[in-house]
Amino acid sequence: TQLLEQSPQFLSIQEGENLTVYCNSSSVFSSLQWYRQEPGEGPVLLVTVVTGGEVKKLKRLTFQFGDARKDSSLHITAAQPGDTGLYLCAGGSTLGRLYFGRGTQLTVWP
Amino acid sequence: SQTIHQWPATLVQPVGSPLSLECTVEGTSNPNLYWYRQAAGRGLQLLFYSVGIGQISSEVPQNLSASRPQDRQFILSSKKLLLSDSGFYLCAWSVQLTWEQYFGPGTRLTVT
């Protein structure tokens, strides 16, 4: 059973477009994290959100934690080829234990 | 600053052979340590985690085992590999009582 569902699974867009990827669950999490992973490498942490309704911005990336702390979204403005990668969300319950979604594979074409 | 190392980077092993993957962390003390497996570039499956030396929790029953002989060393082992053990193995660490996990570069294991 997958606790966190990510959508879409695959996303292929042109440079300059905007996009949103989603991470949904029926469970409440104490924190929600987003990672980006490139082929053959380990995931790299982008952001942690812990408060329901929290919004964080990292340059062109905007992360939001749902009010009920069951879902999250990642919005990218004016996507660039360097944004290409696998985006993983992870929910934290017991401190130290994360549950990962299966990821959204984003490809941005120049 | 903290760094995490994994080796080897790639490994090709025949079915039935033993396995030993090593992970070490520098620049921090008493970290939580984790072993994950990732199949086909998708989500991460937690295999083992450790909150201290000799303390190992297993998430998935299988033919793999883990040990933590030193504070910043985490080892993943198997006595006899199966074809289904192929995958990308990732080690991660975190500061105790925090959420953020930091991953190593991974080991690509192919069982033939």
Side-chain angles (χ1 to χ4, degrees), chain B residues 5-43:
Chain B
H5 303 280
Q6 284 187 247
W7 63 90
T10 60
L11 192 59
V12 180
Q13 292 283 93
V15 168
S17 64
L19 173 74
S20 181
L21 303 181
E22 190 165 341
C23 170
T24 59
V25 181
E26 297 176 355
T28 187
S29 297
N30 197 27
N32 283 352
L33 295 171
Y34 308 85
W35 278 112
Y36 290 88
R37 179 169 58 203
Q38 185 176 36
R42 303 304 286 176

mmCIF file of all heavy atoms in Angstrom, chain B residues 5-43:
data_model
loop_
_atom_site.group_PDB
_atom_site.id
_atom_site.type_symbol
_atom_site.label_atom_id
_atom_site.label_comp_id
_atom_site.label_asym_id
_atom_site.label_seq_id
_atom_site.Cartn_x
_atom_site.Cartn_y
_atom_site.Cartn_z
ATOM 1 N N HIS B 5 29.437 8.760 2.322
ATOM 2 C CA HIS B 5 30.111 7.977 1.287
ATOM 3 C C HIS B 5 29.477 6.605 1.200
ATOM 4 O O HIS B 5 29.085 6.019 2.224
ATOM 5 C CB HIS B 5 31.595 7.807 1.618
ATOM 6 C CG HIS B 5 32.321 9.099 1.805
ATOM 7 N ND1 HIS B 5 32.770 9.863 0.757
ATOM 8 C CD2 HIS B 5 32.669 9.761 2.944
ATOM 9 C CE1 HIS B 5 33.373 10.943 1.228
ATOM 10 N NE2 HIS B 5 33.323 10.912 2.547
ATOM 11 N N GLN B 6 29.400 6.096 -0.012
ATOM 12 C CA GLN B 6 28.939 4.733 -0.235
ATOM 13 C C GLN B 6 29.888 4.057 -1.214
ATOM 14 O O GLN B 6 30.332 4.674 -2.181
ATOM 15 C CB GLN B 6 27.536 4.708 -0.872
ATOM 16 C CG GLN B 6 26.416 5.001 0.065
ATOM 17 C CD GLN B 6 25.075 4.789 -0.619
ATOM 18 O OE1 GLN B 6 24.332 5.741 -0.843
ATOM 19 N NE2 GLN B 6 24.759 3.540 -0.946
ATOM 20 N N TRP B 7 30.144 2.794 -0.950
ATOM 21 C CA TRP B 7 30.903 2.012 -1.931
ATOM 22 C C TRP B 7 30.558 0.539 -1.841
ATOM 23 O O TRP B 7 30.081 0.085 -0.805
ATOM 24 C CB TRP B 7 32.413 2.218 -1.785
ATOM 25 C CG TRP B 7 33.021 1.792 -0.507
ATOM 26 C CD1 TRP B 7 33.534 0.568 -0.189
ATOM 27 C CD2 TRP B 7 33.201 2.617 0.638
ATOM 28 N NE1 TRP B 7 34.010 0.581 1.085
ATOM 29 C CE2 TRP B 7 33.833 1.832 1.612
ATOM 30 C CE3 TRP B 7 32.884 3.941 0.941
ATOM 31 C CZ2 TRP B 7 34.162 2.340 2.858
ATOM 32 C CZ3 TRP B 7 33.204 4.440 2.180
ATOM 33 C CH2 TRP B 7 33.836 3.640 3.125
ATOM 34 N N PRO B 8 30.689 -0.154 -2.982
ATOM 35 C CA PRO B 8 31.150 0.404 -4.252
ATOM 36 C C PRO B 8 30.052 1.198 -4.958
ATOM 37 O O PRO B 8 28.910 1.171 -4.530
ATOM 38 C CB PRO B 8 31.496 -0.853 -5.049
ATOM 39 C CG PRO B 8 30.543 -1.879 -4.544
ATOM 40 C CD PRO B 8 30.369 -1.582 -3.061
ATOM 41 N N ALA B 9 30.388 1.872 -6.032
ATOM 42 C CA ALA B 9 29.409 2.633 -6.802
ATOM 43 C C ALA B 9 28.553 1.697 -7.655
ATOM 44 O O ALA B 9 27.359 1.923 -7.824
ATOM 45 C CB ALA B 9 30.095 3.668 -7.685
ATOM 46 N N THR B 10 29.174 0.687 -8.217
ATOM 47 C CA THR B 10 28.453 -0.308 -9.009
ATOM 48 C C THR B 10 28.979 -1.690 -8.658
ATOM 49 O O THR B 10 30.139 -1.850 -8.266
ATOM 50 C CB THR B 10 28.607 -0.080 -10.522
ATOM 51 O OG1 THR B 10 29.995 -0.154 -10.858
ATOM 52 C CG2 THR B 10 28.068 1.263 -10.944
ATOM 53 N N LEU B 11 28.093 -2.677 -8.795
ATOM 54 C CA LEU B 11 28.461 -4.039 -8.433
ATOM 55 C C LEU B 11 27.636 -5.005 -9.269
ATOM 56 O O LEU B 11 26.420 -4.844 -9.378
ATOM 57 C CB LEU B 11 28.188 -4.250 -6.947
ATOM 58 C CG LEU B 11 28.741 -5.492 -6.259
ATOM 59 C CD1 LEU B 11 30.252 -5.549 -6.369
ATOM 60 C CD2 LEU B 11 28.305 -5.499 -4.799
ATOM 61 N N VAL B 12 28.306 -5.992 -9.844
ATOM 62 C CA VAL B 12 27.625 -7.062 -10.569
ATOM 63 C C VAL B 12 27.993 -8.366 -9.875
ATOM 64 O O VAL B 12 29.178 -8.707 -9.776
ATOM 65 C CB VAL B 12 28.035 -7.113 -12.056
ATOM 66 C CG1 VAL B 12 27.304 -8.244 -12.763
ATOM 67 C CG2 VAL B 12 27.744 -5.779 -12.730
ATOM 68 N N GLN B 13 26.965 -9.063 -9.381
ATOM 69 C CA GLN B 13 27.206 -10.265 -8.601
ATOM 70 C C GLN B 13 26.332 -11.407 -9.102
ATOM 71 O O GLN B 13 25.178 -11.172 -9.488
ATOM 72 C CB GLN B 13 26.869 -10.019 -7.125
ATOM 73 C CG GLN B 13 27.795 -9.055 -6.408
ATOM 74 C CD GLN B 13 29.118 -9.691 -6.042
ATOM 75 O OE1 GLN B 13 30.079 -9.589 -6.802
ATOM 76 N NE2 GLN B 13 29.149 -10.340 -4.904
ATOM 77 N N PRO B 14 26.828 -12.637 -9.078
ATOM 78 C CA PRO B 14 25.979 -13.773 -9.477
ATOM 79 C C PRO B 14 25.000 -14.143 -8.377
ATOM 80 O O PRO B 14 25.233 -13.877 -7.182
ATOM 81 C CB PRO B 14 26.992 -14.903 -9.701
ATOM 82 C CG PRO B 14 28.166 -14.541 -8.861
ATOM 83 C CD PRO B 14 28.215 -13.040 -8.811
ATOM 84 N N VAL B 15 23.902 -14.748 -8.781
ATOM 85 C CA VAL B 15 22.926 -15.267 -7.822
ATOM 86 C C VAL B 15 23.619 -16.220 -6.857
ATOM 87 O O VAL B 15 24.457 -17.031 -7.264
ATOM 88 C CB VAL B 15 21.787 -16.001 -8.568
ATOM 89 C CG1 VAL B 15 20.927 -16.788 -7.588
ATOM 90 C CG2 VAL B 15 20.927 -15.007 -9.333
ATOM 91 N N GLY B 16 23.282 -16.103 -5.569
ATOM 92 C CA GLY B 16 23.843 -16.986 -4.567
ATOM 93 C C GLY B 16 25.128 -16.492 -3.936
ATOM 94 O O GLY B 16 25.597 -17.069 -2.947
ATOM 95 N N SER B 17 25.686 -15.414 -4.447
ATOM 96 C CA SER B 17 26.925 -14.881 -3.879
ATOM 97 C C SER B 17 26.609 -13.953 -2.708
ATOM 98 O O SER B 17 25.483 -13.450 -2.591
ATOM 99 C CB SER B 17 27.716 -14.131 -4.955
ATOM 100 O OG SER B 17 26.995 -13.011 -5.406
ATOM 101 N N PRO B 18 27.588 -13.697 -1.831
ATOM 102 C CA PRO B 18 27.345 -12.777 -0.705
ATOM 103 C C PRO B 18 27.445 -11.324 -1.145
ATOM 104 O O PRO B 18 27.937 -11.009 -2.220
ATOM 105 C CB PRO B 18 28.475 -13.138 0.266
ATOM 106 C CG PRO B 18 29.572 -13.638 -0.610
ATOM 107 C CD PRO B 18 28.910 -14.316 -1.772
ATOM 108 N N LEU B 19 26.973 -10.449 -0.240
ATOM 109 C CA LEU B 19 26.968 -9.016 -0.526
ATOM 110 C C LEU B 19 27.404 -8.239 0.705
ATOM 111 O O LEU B 19 27.034 -8.581 1.835
ATOM 112 C CB LEU B 19 25.558 -8.561 -0.917
ATOM 113 C CG LEU B 19 25.360 -7.054 -1.086
ATOM 114 C CD1 LEU B 19 25.998 -6.574 -2.366
ATOM 115 C CD2 LEU B 19 23.876 -6.692 -1.047
ATOM 116 N N SER B 20 28.169 -7.196 0.476
ATOM 117 C CA SER B 20 28.477 -6.251 1.547
ATOM 118 C C SER B 20 28.596 -4.861 0.947
ATOM 119 O O SER B 20 29.467 -4.605 0.125
ATOM 120 C CB SER B 20 29.786 -6.640 2.250
ATOM 121 O OG SER B 20 30.057 -5.729 3.298
ATOM 122 N N LEU B 21 27.690 -3.981 1.346
ATOM 123 C CA LEU B 21 27.718 -2.578 0.933
ATOM 124 C C LEU B 21 28.014 -1.734 2.165
ATOM 125 O O LEU B 21 27.450 -1.969 3.220
ATOM 126 C CB LEU B 21 26.386 -2.146 0.321
ATOM 127 C CG LEU B 21 25.880 -2.939 -0.883
ATOM 128 C CD1 LEU B 21 24.554 -2.348 -1.367
ATOM 129 C CD2 LEU B 21 26.898 -2.960 -1.993
ATOM 130 N N GLU B 22 28.857 -0.736 1.978
ATOM 131 C CA GLU B 22 29.265 0.061 3.121
ATOM 132 C C GLU B 22 28.892 1.524 2.944
ATOM 133 O O GLU B 22 28.920 2.066 1.834
ATOM 134 C CB GLU B 22 30.762 -0.067 3.354
ATOM 135 C CG GLU B 22 31.236 0.540 4.659
ATOM 136 C CD GLU B 22 32.635 0.105 5.038
ATOM 137 O OE1 GLU B 22 33.115 -0.919 4.511
ATOM 138 O OE2 GLU B 22 33.247 0.805 5.874
ATOM 139 N N CYS B 23 28.547 2.140 4.059
ATOM 140 C CA CYS B 23 28.170 3.545 4.088
ATOM 141 C C CYS B 23 28.847 4.181 5.296
ATOM 142 O O CYS B 23 28.800 3.632 6.401
ATOM 143 C CB CYS B 23 26.648 3.657 4.211
ATOM 144 S SG CYS B 23 26.018 5.307 4.540
ATOM 145 N N THR B 24 29.488 5.324 5.083
ATOM 146 C CA THR B 24 30.077 6.048 6.206
ATOM 147 C C THR B 24 29.700 7.528 6.115
ATOM 148 O O THR B 24 29.553 8.080 5.025
ATOM 149 C CB THR B 24 31.604 5.925 6.257
ATOM 150 O OG1 THR B 24 32.146 6.438 5.041
ATOM 151 C CG2 THR B 24 32.037 4.483 6.437
ATOM 152 N N VAL B 25 29.544 8.132 7.273
ATOM 153 C CA VAL B 25 29.185 9.547 7.363
ATOM 154 C C VAL B 25 30.311 10.271 8.089
ATOM 155 O O VAL B 25 30.857 9.756 9.075
ATOM 156 C CB VAL B 25 27.862 9.730 8.122
ATOM 157 C CG1 VAL B 25 27.479 11.204 8.187
ATOM 158 C CG2 VAL B 25 26.762 8.923 7.459
ATOM 159 N N GLU B 26 30.642 11.463 7.611
ATOM 160 C CA GLU B 26 31.657 12.294 8.247
ATOM 161 C C GLU B 26 31.046 13.614 8.686
ATOM 162 O O GLU B 26 30.101 14.111 8.067
ATOM 163 C CB GLU B 26 32.800 12.578 7.265
ATOM 164 C CG GLU B 26 33.567 11.340 6.819
ATOM 165 C CD GLU B 26 34.616 11.664 5.771
ATOM 166 O OE1 GLU B 26 34.670 12.831 5.322
ATOM 167 O OE2 GLU B 26 35.381 10.759 5.393
ATOM 168 N N GLY B 27 31.596 14.173 9.747
ATOM 169 C CA GLY B 27 31.216 15.511 10.149
ATOM 170 C C GLY B 27 30.015 15.618 11.053
ATOM 171 O O GLY B 27 29.497 16.713 11.268
ATOM 172 N N THR B 28 29.552 14.483 11.601
ATOM 173 C CA THR B 28 28.428 14.511 12.525
ATOM 174 C C THR B 28 28.569 13.348 13.492
ATOM 175 O O THR B 28 29.308 12.387 13.211
ATOM 176 C CB THR B 28 27.083 14.428 11.776
ATOM 177 O OG1 THR B 28 26.014 14.633 12.703
ATOM 178 C CG2 THR B 28 26.904 13.091 11.089
ATOM 179 N N SER B 29 27.885 13.439 14.614
ATOM 180 C CA SER B 29 27.942 12.357 15.596
ATOM 181 C C SER B 29 26.549 11.836 15.894
ATOM 182 O O SER B 29 25.576 12.584 15.851
ATOM 183 C CB SER B 29 28.563 12.868 16.912
ATOM 184 O OG SER B 29 29.893 13.276 16.711
ATOM 185 N N ASN B 30 26.467 10.542 16.187
ATOM 186 C CA ASN B 30 25.219 9.892 16.579
ATOM 187 C C ASN B 30 24.064 10.150 15.605
ATOM 188 O O ASN B 30 22.961 10.516 16.012
ATOM 189 C CB ASN B 30 24.803 10.345 17.985
ATOM 190 C CG ASN B 30 23.769 9.410 18.587
ATOM 191 O OD1 ASN B 30 23.713 8.228 18.254
ATOM 192 N ND2 ASN B 30 22.922 9.935 19.450
ATOM 193 N N PRO B 31 24.329 9.984 14.302
ATOM 194 C CA PRO B 31 23.239 10.205 13.352
ATOM 195 C C PRO B 31 22.281 9.024 13.318
ATOM 196 O O PRO B 31 22.650 7.909 13.708
ATOM 197 C CB PRO B 31 23.973 10.310 12.019
ATOM 198 C CG PRO B 31 25.145 9.392 12.190
ATOM 199 C CD PRO B 31 25.560 9.549 13.636
ATOM 200 N N ASN B 32 21.056 9.256 12.859
ATOM 201 C CA ASN B 32 20.209 8.153 12.406
ATOM 202 C C ASN B 32 20.752 7.740 11.032
ATOM 203 O O ASN B 32 21.137 8.590 10.232
ATOM 204 C CB ASN B 32 18.759 8.591 12.244
ATOM 205 C CG ASN B 32 18.042 8.709 13.575
ATOM 206 O OD1 ASN B 32 18.560 8.328 14.618
ATOM 207 N ND2 ASN B 32 16.843 9.249 13.528
ATOM 208 N N LEU B 33 20.749 6.441 10.776
ATOM 209 C CA LEU B 33 21.235 5.937 9.482
ATOM 210 C C LEU B 33 20.169 5.062 8.859
ATOM 211 O O LEU B 33 19.422 4.362 9.556
ATOM 212 C CB LEU B 33 22.534 5.139 9.663
ATOM 213 C CG LEU B 33 23.735 5.944 10.150
ATOM 214 C CD1 LEU B 33 24.905 5.024 10.500
ATOM 215 C CD2 LEU B 33 24.159 6.965 9.091
ATOM 216 N N TYR B 34 20.112 5.080 7.516
ATOM 217 C CA TYR B 34 19.040 4.396 6.786
ATOM 218 C C TYR B 34 19.613 3.690 5.556
ATOM 219 O O TYR B 34 20.522 4.208 4.907
ATOM 220 C CB TYR B 34 17.989 5.400 6.290
ATOM 221 C CG TYR B 34 17.455 6.328 7.348
ATOM 222 C CD1 TYR B 34 18.131 7.496 7.677
ATOM 223 C CD2 TYR B 34 16.259 6.037 8.011
ATOM 224 C CE1 TYR B 34 17.651 8.350 8.647
ATOM 225 C CE2 TYR B 34 15.769 6.894 8.985
ATOM 226 C CZ TYR B 34 16.471 8.046 9.294
ATOM 227 O OH TYR B 34 15.987 8.894 10.255
ATOM 228 N N TRP B 35 19.026 2.544 5.226
ATOM 229 C CA TRP B 35 19.249 1.888 3.936
ATOM 230 C C TRP B 35 17.915 1.845 3.192
ATOM 231 O O TRP B 35 16.916 1.375 3.727
ATOM 232 C CB TRP B 35 19.763 0.463 4.095
ATOM 233 C CG TRP B 35 21.228 0.335 4.336
ATOM 234 C CD1 TRP B 35 21.853 -0.089 5.467
ATOM 235 C CD2 TRP B 35 22.282 0.610 3.406
ATOM 236 N NE1 TRP B 35 23.215 -0.080 5.314
ATOM 237 C CE2 TRP B 35 23.504 0.344 4.056
ATOM 238 C CE3 TRP B 35 22.314 1.055 2.082
ATOM 239 C CZ2 TRP B 35 24.742 0.509 3.437
ATOM 240 C CZ3 TRP B 35 23.540 1.225 1.465
ATOM 241 C CH2 TRP B 35 24.740 0.947 2.136
ATOM 242 N N TYR B 36 17.941 2.326 1.939
ATOM 243 C CA TYR B 36 16.779 2.274 1.060
ATOM 244 C C TYR B 36 17.155 1.501 -0.204
ATOM 245 O O TYR B 36 18.317 1.463 -0.611
ATOM 246 C CB TYR B 36 16.343 3.674 0.606
ATOM 247 C CG TYR B 36 15.739 4.560 1.663
ATOM 248 C CD1 TYR B 36 16.537 5.376 2.463
ATOM 249 C CD2 TYR B 36 14.360 4.610 1.840
ATOM 250 C CE1 TYR B 36 15.972 6.220 3.412
ATOM 251 C CE2 TYR B 36 13.785 5.449 2.775
ATOM 252 C CZ TYR B 36 14.596 6.252 3.557
ATOM 253 O OH TYR B 36 14.034 7.084 4.489
ATOM 254 N N ARG B 37 16.127 0.943 -0.851
ATOM 255 C CA ARG B 37 16.309 0.382 -2.182
ATOM 256 C C ARG B 37 15.336 1.083 -3.120
ATOM 257 O O ARG B 37 14.177 1.308 -2.762
ATOM 258 C CB ARG B 37 16.064 -1.124 -2.207
ATOM 259 C CG ARG B 37 16.215 -1.747 -3.601
ATOM 260 C CD ARG B 37 16.236 -3.262 -3.543
ATOM 261 N NE ARG B 37 15.041 -3.809 -2.935
ATOM 262 C CZ ARG B 37 14.985 -5.022 -2.373
ATOM 263 N NH1 ARG B 37 16.061 -5.800 -2.338
ATOM 264 N NH2 ARG B 37 13.857 -5.454 -1.859
ATOM 265 N N GLN B 38 15.821 1.367 -4.314
ATOM 266 C CA GLN B 38 14.991 2.031 -5.323
ATOM 267 C C GLN B 38 15.014 1.178 -6.580
ATOM 268 O O GLN B 38 16.077 0.880 -7.121
ATOM 269 C CB GLN B 38 15.536 3.419 -5.623
ATOM 270 C CG GLN B 38 14.680 4.231 -6.565
ATOM 271 C CD GLN B 38 15.218 5.641 -6.741
ATOM 272 O OE1 GLN B 38 16.426 5.844 -6.755
ATOM 273 N NE2 GLN B 38 14.336 6.611 -6.863
ATOM 274 N N ALA B 39 13.839 0.797 -7.026
ATOM 275 C CA ALA B 39 13.717 -0.025 -8.227
ATOM 276 C C ALA B 39 13.327 0.849 -9.400
ATOM 277 O O ALA B 39 12.460 1.717 -9.274
ATOM 278 C CB ALA B 39 12.673 -1.119 -8.019
ATOM 279 N N ALA B 40 13.994 0.660 -10.512
ATOM 280 C CA ALA B 40 13.631 1.291 -11.779
ATOM 281 C C ALA B 40 13.444 2.799 -11.661
ATOM 282 O O ALA B 40 12.518 3.336 -12.261
ATOM 283 C CB ALA B 40 12.370 0.635 -12.342
ATOM 284 N N GLY B 41 14.297 3.478 -10.868
ATOM 285 C CA GLY B 41 14.246 4.932 -10.774
ATOM 286 C C GLY B 41 12.974 5.488 -10.164
ATOM 287 O O GLY B 41 12.631 6.640 -10.418
ATOM 288 N N ARG B 42 12.291 4.711 -9.354
ATOM 289 C CA ARG B 42 11.042 5.170 -8.762
ATOM 290 C C ARG B 42 11.185 5.377 -7.256
ATOM 291 O O ARG B 42 12.243 5.711 -6.780
ATOM 292 C CB ARG B 42 9.926 4.178 -9.101
ATOM 293 C CG ARG B 42 9.746 3.951 -10.589
ATOM 294 C CD ARG B 42 9.504 5.248 -11.345
ATOM 295 N NE ARG B 42 8.174 5.770 -11.122
ATOM 296 C CZ ARG B 42 7.753 6.931 -11.622
ATOM 297 N NH1 ARG B 42 8.587 7.668 -12.317
ATOM 298 N NH2 ARG B 42 6.524 7.340 -11.402
ATOM 299 N N GLY B 43 10.122 5.179 -6.527
ATOM 300 C CA GLY B 43 10.116 5.501 -5.114
ATOM 301 C C GLY B 43 11.079 4.677 -4.289
ATOM 302 O O GLY B 43 11.558 3.625 -4.708
#
